[in-house]
Amino acid sequence: MVVKIKFARPTGKHPVVMLALLVAGSAIALCAIVGFSIFGYYYYAYRSIVDQRLSQPIFVDTAKIYAAPREVRPGQKISIQLIASELREAGYTTDGAAQPSPLGTYSQGVQQITVRPGPQSYHAPDPAVIHVSGGEVDSIVDARGQPLESYELEPLLITGLSAGADRIKRRLITYNELPPNLVHAVVAIEDRRFFEHSGVDYYRILGALRNDLTPGHRWTEGGSTLTMQLARGFFLSPQRRIKRKIIEIAITFQLEHRFTKQQIFQMYANEINLGQRGSFSIDGFGEAAEAYFGKDVRQLDLSECALLAGMIQSPSRLNPFRHPERALERRAMVLDAMVETGAITKAQAETAKQELLHLVPGSVDAGEAPYFVDLVRDQLVQKLGDRDFNREGLRIYTSLDPDLQRIGTNAVDSSQHMIDELVDKVHARDRKLGKPYIYPQVALVALNPHTGQVLALVGGRSYGASQLNHAVAERPTGSTFKPFVYAAAFDTAVEGVMLSGQTKLFSPLTMLSDAQTTYGAGTPYEYTPRNFEGEYYGEITARYALMRSDNNATISLASMVGFDQVAALGRDAGIVNARGTPSVAIGSYDATPLEVAGAYTVFANGGVHLEPWMLASVRTPTGDIIDDYSPVSRNVLDPRVAFLTTSMMEDVLRGQGTGAGVRNMGFSAPAAGKTGTDHDAWFAGFTSNLICIVWVGNDDYTPLDPENRGRIQGAHAAAPIWATFMKEATALPQYSDTKDFTPPDGVQVESIDKVTNLLSDAACPDEYEAAFLNGTAPTDTCDHQGEHRNIFQRILGLGSKSGN
């Protein structure tokens, strides 16, 4: 029997295969459903968060702090290029620009520049033409051709008022203010399909996932579009997790649905972090353009646009100040990417690659005056109450001179090592034993003596390290107060009153007792002052006593004037804590460096005291005036008294004066000043157009020299900072025209013989000049002292007693 077996032809796939395909399809479908469900959950869950975030202003506008306007005067050394540069920095555009700035426009010629303030300018919209020849201003005329004595340029923006808790600096810009090259650069290097995709670039994400899943590359490859970066920056933490990526994409779709591509790019341009400046974060291209290039963002050229776009990847690692080689390499990469996208030609890229890094030097302390800005904020609260200055976007116009602020900060920075070396020497024993000690703080204040405006203010060694503002911290004034004792004595002479024990009105030649004296003997307030170096000269002239900063002679003079009268003068000048005790004469009562600067206006400003001020005007974002502020002044001294005291303070900077060292440091302009040494070190001095006060001291109120051996004095620690600052300040065009102090009517300046303290003549040529109230100068000449001088002495200018 034959059994035939017939095999059936397969009519379909094997059941196992079918089952596998079914399971796979079901799994894929299930994953898709789960994925879409998860995505949908996060999409709707975060919609309310996005709604809430977008219901408020995306960026809180900041009140803007402006510097004082630069004054241009005929005869001033300045170039057309510098004026044009400052106008551009202030936000002006050239005449005929496609989008004229509401602040103003200008047109530049070879030897003239025409300035046209706009409707939002700080100044009235009155055009002016500035003519310059040979680097010097020839003339300034208004629109009618009438000559002007001076013209103020638009104030420069210093910074935004509020950095918030996160210490962020941001200057808001619109999409239309962005240079096209900056948009092209960012898109080329960060998201080439930005204007084409709907928020997510799937091809880029797949490529990123492939690399991220490769060992050694986990979650390091960037697949984010600009919109995704924006979503992450606004709403999410920086942690790298899959959940966060899903949420990020969900928010991205919402942003793309709500905003145009231009609006998204504008938000991105204001939000992106581009580094750190001092203790502040630089956020947005508007702030970065100013921080790195000192420019308005609209003025960036191709190479600068490429540099900023390149920094987005890693702002710290690509910081052009710290890592210029890396920054240049990254800039070249961005330029090549722009060529690939067709944004620029190969020739344009190669030209831009040859550009040097034209960075603006400076730091947050120098450029943005943080201690100054803190005081402005405090004054705003005092004057306008607790209102939201930032949300209103107010314009705050101040007294600050950016050039002087930069010089002041640099003077402090460059001198710190010198002060620290002095401290190390004083504490050499502690250092050897490993005992801790502290380095002192520094403050510097500069004023215009004729307006009271605070031109520069440095409140400490480093704002990032300490925000305590030492410029407004009270400290004993030390010998910087002594000029007020001599001014009070001159006041008695003006009134025709002789001091106790004197037979003549007070003058620089009045003899004072330098003997050590006890005041209030037998009382709880017994006080026996000593001279700083422990030396006593007996009888010395008032001029020499101030020049050498003699303690006992100055207290002796104060006792003759009356301690209460001396203290009252100090209070009138702004040293409000002064009290009528013997120690008031040598500055035992506290004042702030800012108050001392204000007090010295009575000498530099002909007897008129000016309250130091920082706030000039508060205006709306469109330039409408909310409030203007005027300086507060009062007459304190007779102009003759102010000049007579100033004349003696000029001697402090000469010869044997305690401040003469500033002349050895290269400072040569006519000036007057006074050293100060107590717990702390001071130097207070001024020219005809600038006051500067420098203070150096310890935060814990301990003396700079614990053993009081004179190793750290005002002449050693504070005077070098003052000299550095004033030397550079007087080289600036606006402060270079320093003049000799001019005696007012009723004052005579005479040449005095150093030996006899009588009028000098040919027989005694060793002389000095001194100023006298009319009728108080010597009347005899040195060669009339026959009873003291023989023929040989007269010929050689010798005498029998010292001319102290």
Side-chain angles (χ1 to χ4, degrees), residues 443-464:
L444 181 149
V445 177
L447 290 188
N448 182 322
H450 308 301
T451 65
Q453 74 181 92
V454 179
L455 299 167
L457 186 145
V458 181
R461 293 168 69 109
S462 168
Y463 188 80

Side-chain angles (χ1 to χ4, degrees), residues 290-427:
E290 177 62 37
Y292 293 110
F293 304 113
K295 290 184 176 182
D296 184 281
V297 69
R298 292 169 291 190
Q299 300 163 1
L300 296 177
D301 62 27
L302 173 59
S303 67
E304 293 162 345
C305 291
L307 184 83
L308 293 184
M311 290 179 64
I312 295 172
Q313 183 190 62
S314 180
S316 178
R317 189 177 65 84
L318 298 170
N319 185 301
F321 285 116
R322 293 195 295 268
H323 308 295
E325 296 84 3
R326 293 178 190 170
L328 289 172
E329 183 179 347
R330 179 67 174 172
R331 185 184 73 177
M333 187 182 299
V334 174
L335 291 168
D336 289 339
M338 294 177 73
V339 173
E340 293 173 7
T341 60
I344 59 174
T345 66
K346 181 70 173 176
Q348 288 175 310
E350 293 305 317
T351 300
K353 288 178 184 179
Q354 301 306 312
E355 287 287 333
L356 300 177
L357 286 175
H358 300 293
L359 301 175
V360 176
S363 66
V364 67
D365 295 285
E368 297 181 346
Y371 295 103
F372 179 91
V373 171
D374 284 350
L375 291 177
V376 168
R377 182 189 291 109
D378 294 342
Q379 289 193 3
L380 281 171
V381 172
Q382 292 173 10
K383 294 180 182 294
L384 299 181
D386 191 16
R387 61 192 289 180
D388 195 339
F389 307 112
N390 280 326
R391 194 168 296 279
E392 295 180 47
L394 299 181
R395 294 182 183 179
I396 315 299
Y397 293 95
T398 72
S399 61
L400 193 77
D401 183 323
D403 291 334
L404 277 189
Q405 179 65 33
R406 191 172 297 107
I407 289 172
T409 301
N410 290 341
V412 170
D413 289 346
S414 63
S415 301
Q416 288 182 17
H417 72 283
M418 174 204 67
I419 298 171
D420 292 349
E421 287 172 2
L422 291 174
V423 172
D424 286 337
K425 289 180 181 178
V426 167
H427 291 276

Side-chain angles (χ1 to χ4, degrees), residues 10 134 137 153 186 192 290 328 335 382 536 555 624 638 666 678 728 759 772:
V137 178
L153 303 180
V186 173
R192 294 190 181 185
E290 177 62 37
L328 289 172
L335 291 168
Q382 292 173 10
Y536 302 92
I555 297 174
D624 295 329
D638 185 291
D678 188 48
E728 292 191 42
L759 298 175
F772 299 86

Side-chain angles (χ1 to χ4, degrees), residues 195-212:
F195 288 101
E196 301 166 16
H197 60 62
S198 59
V200 177
D201 191 338
Y202 300 103
Y203 295 105
R204 190 176 180 190
I205 288 178
L206 289 174
L209 286 173
R210 179 196 61 208
N211 291 329
D212 287 345

Side-chain angles (χ1 to χ4, degrees), residues 486-499 504-508 510 561 569 606-607 636-645 744-748 771-776:
Y486 294 84
F490 278 123
D491 228 6
T492 64
V494 167
E495 294 171 0
V497 177
M498 285 185 287
L499 297 175
K504 296 180 180 179
L505 295 177
F506 179 75
S507 80
T510 297
V561 174
L569 175 58
V636 173
L637 291 176
D638 185 291
R640 294 169 291 178
V641 172
F643 178 82
L644 291 166
T645 309
D745 292 340
V747 171
Q748 61 189 98
F772 299 86
L773 185 68
N774 282 356
T776 63

Side-chain angles (χ1 to χ4, degrees), residues 327-659:
L328 289 172
E329 183 179 347
R330 179 67 174 172
R331 185 184 73 177
M333 187 182 299
V334 174
L335 291 168
D336 289 339
M338 294 177 73
V339 173
E340 293 173 7
T341 60
I344 59 174
T345 66
K346 181 70 173 176
Q348 288 175 310
E350 293 305 317
T351 300
K353 288 178 184 179
Q354 301 306 312
E355 287 287 333
L356 300 177
L357 286 175
H358 300 293
L359 301 175
V360 176
S363 66
V364 67
D365 295 285
E368 297 181 346
Y371 295 103
F372 179 91
V373 171
D374 284 350
L375 291 177
V376 168
R377 182 189 291 109
D378 294 342
Q379 289 193 3
L380 281 171
V381 172
Q382 292 173 10
K383 294 180 182 294
L384 299 181
D386 191 16
R387 61 192 289 180
D388 195 339
F389 307 112
N390 280 326
R391 194 168 296 279
E392 295 180 47
L394 299 181
R395 294 182 183 179
I396 315 299
Y397 293 95
T398 72
S399 61
L400 193 77
D401 183 323
D403 291 334
L404 277 189
Q405 179 65 33
R406 191 172 297 107
I407 289 172
T409 301
N410 290 341
V412 170
D413 289 346
S414 63
S415 301
Q416 288 182 17
H417 72 283
M418 174 204 67
I419 298 171
D420 292 349
E421 287 172 2
L422 291 174
V423 172
D424 286 337
K425 289 180 181 178
V426 167
H427 291 276
R429 187 184 308 164
D430 293 336
R431 193 177 188 183
K432 187 175 294 185
L433 296 174
K435 292 183 178 180
Y437 54 91
I438 64 173
Y439 292 108
Q441 280 288 348
V442 183
L444 181 149
V445 177
L447 290 188
N448 182 322
H450 308 301
T451 65
Q453 74 181 92
V454 179
L455 299 167
L457 186 145
V458 181
R461 293 168 69 109
S462 168
Y463 188 80
S466 171
Q467 289 78 56
L468 176 62
N469 194 340
H470 299 85
V472 290
E474 292 188 338
R475 305 294 293 219
T477 59
S479 295
T480 60
F481 186 85
K482 286 177 181 175
F484 294 98
V485 178
Y486 294 84
F490 278 123
D491 228 6
T492 64
V494 167
E495 294 171 0
V497 177
M498 285 185 287
L499 297 175
S500 173
Q502 297 291 318
T503 59
K504 296 180 180 179
L505 295 177
F506 179 75
S507 80
L509 302 183
T510 297
M511 302 303 293
L512 303 176
S513 172
D514 185 40
Q516 193 167 28
T517 305
T518 297
Y519 297 89
T523 72
Y525 307 103
E526 184 173 306
Y527 177 58
T528 306
R530 59 183 294 274
N531 284 342
F532 185 77
E533 295 177 345
E535 298 178 353
Y536 302 92
Y537 302 100
E539 293 278 313
I540 58 175
T541 64
R543 170 185 174 272
Y544 188 79
L546 183 61
M547 187 171 71
R548 294 296 301 160
S549 197
D550 188 279
N551 286 343
N552 281 273
T554 302
I555 297 174
S556 172
L557 177 61
S559 70
M560 290 188 281
V561 174
F563 296 126
D564 287 335
Q565 285 74 17
V566 170
L569 175 58
R571 290 193 297 273
D572 287 344
I575 312 296
V576 296
N577 292 324
R579 295 294 179 267
T581 64
S583 64
V584 71
I586 57 174
S588 63
Y589 293 97
D590 289 356
T592 70
L594 186 60
E595 288 172 338
V596 173
Y600 268 55
T601 61
V602 303
F603 303 127
N605 193 40
V608 178
H609 176 266
L610 287 158
E611 294 285 346
W613 61 271
M614 288 164 276
L615 198 56
S617 182
V618 179
R619 305 190 180 187
T620 67
T622 57
D624 295 329
I625 297 174
I626 294 176
D627 215 341
D628 285 335
Y629 304 100
S630 301
V632 177
S633 63
R634 60 179 179 275
N635 291 319
V636 173
L637 291 176
D638 185 291
R640 294 169 291 178
V641 172
F643 178 82
L644 291 166
T645 309
T646 296
S647 177
M648 290 177 61
M649 294 169 70
E650 287 185 273
D651 289 330
V652 174
L653 275 58
R654 297 171 178 150
Q656 294 179 297
T658 56

